[in-house]
Amino acid sequence: MPAKVYSDKDADLSVLKNKTLAILGFGSQGHAHALNLKDSGLNVIIGLYEGSKSIPVAQEKGFEVVRTAEAVRRADVIMVAIPDTKQPAAYDKDIAPNLTKGKALLFSHGFSIHFKTIIPAKNVDVILVAPKGPGHIVRRQYAEGKGVPALIAVYQNPSKQAKKIALAWAKGIGGTRAGVIETTFKEETETDLFGEQTVLCGGVTALILAGYETLVEAGYQPEMAYFECLHELKLIVDLINEAGVSGMRFSVSETAKWGDVSVGPKIIDASVKKRMKAALKDVQSGKFAKGWVQEYQGGYKKYQALLKAGEKHPIEQVGTRLRSLMPWMKKHSVKGVQAAY
Ligand SMILES: NC(=O)c1ccc[n+]([C@@H]2O[C@H](COP(=O)([O-])OP(=O)(O)OC[C@H]3O[C@@H](n4cnc5c(N)ncnc54)[C@H](OP(=O)(O)O)[C@@H]3O)[C@@H](O)[C@H]2O)c1
Ligand SMILES: [Mg+2]
């Protein structure tokens, strides 16, 4: 049976009226949920730790910012918008001691609950509202009158209101404008990790770099390689996003279509799928989560080194120069988007 897709008419924002909503963290997800909920007419406060660099950012957007523990004390619904690896310490120190009966704890990714790095108190609702998109796009689309599709899940429900709260929250951030599906913490966590590793973030960036390097190493101009393998990707993906794979094929030339169907599957072949299955297994078994928590505990050394190496790739210099020639990119640049809204 196809999954039920909830829309605006299935969600009642009044469930959250007269309640205090606390967002702990004001980063990618936190700022988007906070601003969208505020614009939906709800009462939002921000919880941050002493000295957080996000404090002035949230204050500048007109939010009341209090310490994490106080935000938990004052709120009825508490969203944990802190990085996954840092959530357990914040839970033990600031959240758990103030999480009294009847409150609801809300996540936008199921990592901590599913992998049990947080064992929540039994007398609170534990819910998930996970937009299927990066935080800055969740904000941008809401401001444009659109919405990013979202998932909801209920892990525990002592109030018997958990699903209503999750649906109302999803409506408040614009998710029900696009469509909301109910899932479980397990399914959301495993599919989200698999997707970001193998297709969305990991897979697509590795594909771009491999294509760029192949062209540059063969003597083509780096600017050509950038336009071909990075810039144009969005234009093609927009078509796929709007009309599906076959819809995209409708727009490209016959020659492109033939190259697509005859060469593509030789590049992304059965060996890729085999490695995808291995990556999925590591997600399901908890091996990936364990390694990531260890990486955090060891001070993020490998993580930082790999990110730095990525920043040094020649495609970044070429891209910075070419994007600076397209003024509309600046208006929408993700790094500047918090300031823009
Ligand atoms: N990024 C996304 O688009 C996305 C998409 C779906 C789900 N999620 C989920 O959303 C959650 C948050 O991720 P994110 O990417 O939004 O994080 P992020 O951009 O790194 O922002 C984290 C925020 O938490 C603050 N913070 C750190 N420790 C804190 C503490 N102890 N108490 C209060 N605030 C604290 C940080 O403050 P500082 O500025 O001082 O560091 C920052 O404002 C994660 O569960 C993630 O899996 C994210
Ligand atoms: Mg994720």
Side-chain angles (χ1 to χ4, degrees):
M1 210 177 60
K4 174 160 176 58
V5 182
Y6 297 92
S7 59
D8 276 343
K9 65 177 178 356
D10 302 308
D12 179 6
L13 260 191
S14 70
V15 174
L16 295 176
K17 286 251 154 78
N18 307 318
K19 287 199 193 302
T20 300
L21 315 179
I23 316 269
L24 310 182
F26 201 77
S28 180
Q29 277 300 304
H31 94 285
H33 287 239
L35 287 165
N36 293 3
L37 292 167
K38 185 168 83 149
D39 287 353
S40 293
L42 300 170
N43 175 30
V44 178
I45 59 172
I46 307 299
L48 286 164
Y49 63 93
E50 181 84 47
S52 164
K53 61 183 183 314
S54 299
I55 293 174
V57 184
Q59 281 171 337
E60 198 219 314
K61 294 278 171 268
F63 287 103
E64 183 187 359
V65 181
V66 296
R67 293 295 88 86
T68 311
E70 193 193 331
V72 177
R73 260 194 304 276
R74 281 184 35 195
D76 304 290
V77 187
I78 299 122
M79 176 193 185
V80 185
I82 299 169
D84 300 303
T85 50
K86 295 176 181 159
Q87 289 178 9
Y91 185 80
D92 291 343
K93 180 171 162 280
D94 293 320
I95 302 174
N98 300 295
L99 198 60
T100 46
K101 183 170 181 255
K103 296 190 190 243
L105 199 58
L106 187 148
F107 293 84
S108 60
H109 178 39
F111 191 99
S112 300
I113 295 294
H114 176 61
F115 292 118
K116 299 198 178 343
T117 61
I118 291 177
I119 311 274
K122 281 271 168 269
N123 58 0
V124 295
D125 293 346
V126 176
I127 56 187
L128 176 98
V129 179
K132 288 284 88 189
H136 297 94
I137 308 301
V138 172
R139 177 56 186 162
R140 184 190 297 174
Q141 295 228 336
Y142 179 93
E144 290 171 356
K146 307 176 199 158
V148 170
L151 307 176
I152 57 163
V154 174
Y155 184 76
Q156 55 187 51
N157 182 20
S159 78
K160 305 279 174 277
Q161 299 295 310
K163 186 169 168 183
K164 278 191 184 149
I165 296 171
L167 275 172
W169 190 287
K171 185 173 187 170
I173 63 168
T176 46
R177 291 176 181 171
V180 168
I181 295 173
E182 186 169 9
T183 179
T184 60
F185 273 64
K186 174 178 156 57
E187 187 180 48
E188 185 278 336
T189 304
E190 293 177 352
T191 54
D192 186 78
L193 294 174
F194 172 79
E196 67 200 15
Q197 292 171 17
T198 66
V199 180
L200 303 173
C201 309
V204 89
T205 53
L207 185 69
I208 290 169
L209 295 184
Y212 175 89
E213 288 169 9
T214 302
L215 286 177
V216 173
E217 284 164 20
Y220 297 99
Q221 301 178 71
E223 292 78 3
M224 295 281 306
Y226 178 87
F227 281 143
E228 194 58 47
C229 299
L230 191 151
H231 183 82
E232 200 174 339
L233 181 66
K234 174 178 163 38
L235 312 180
I236 295 294
V237 168
D238 278 351
L239 289 174
I240 296 175
N241 181 272
E242 283 159 21
V245 171
S246 300
M248 176 276 287
R249 287 176 179 155
F250 175 78
S251 282
V252 300
S253 69
E254 284 192 343
T255 311
K257 273 198 273 282
W258 170 237
D260 169 351
V261 294
S262 66
V263 181
K266 291 188 207 155
I267 306 299
I268 306 295
D269 63 3
S271 75
V272 172
K273 203 160 150 192
K274 205 168 142 200
R275 290 190 293 280
M276 282 184 165
K277 286 187 176 176
L280 180 59
K281 228 183 196 148
D282 286 350
V283 165
Q284 290 167 328
S285 70
K287 189 173 165 198
F288 169 79
K290 198 169 153 208
W292 175 222
V293 170
Q294 278 168 358
E295 177 62 23
Y296 168 66
Q297 286 164 348
Y300 276 163
K301 285 195 196 87
K302 193 169 175 188
Y303 171 65
Q304 301 289 7
L306 290 170
L307 288 177
K308 238 193 197 99
E311 284 168 19
K312 289 211 176 104
H313 193 285
I315 200 170
E316 297 297 356
Q317 280 93 59
V318 178
T320 302
R321 185 164 76 82
L322 292 176
R323 287 193 299 272
S324 74
L325 304 173
M326 298 179 237
W328 58 92
M329 290 278 194
K330 266 181 239 147
K331 207 173 113 220
H332 258 353
S333 92
V334 165
K335 279 191 175 165
V337 89
Q338 279 189 351
Y341 295 116

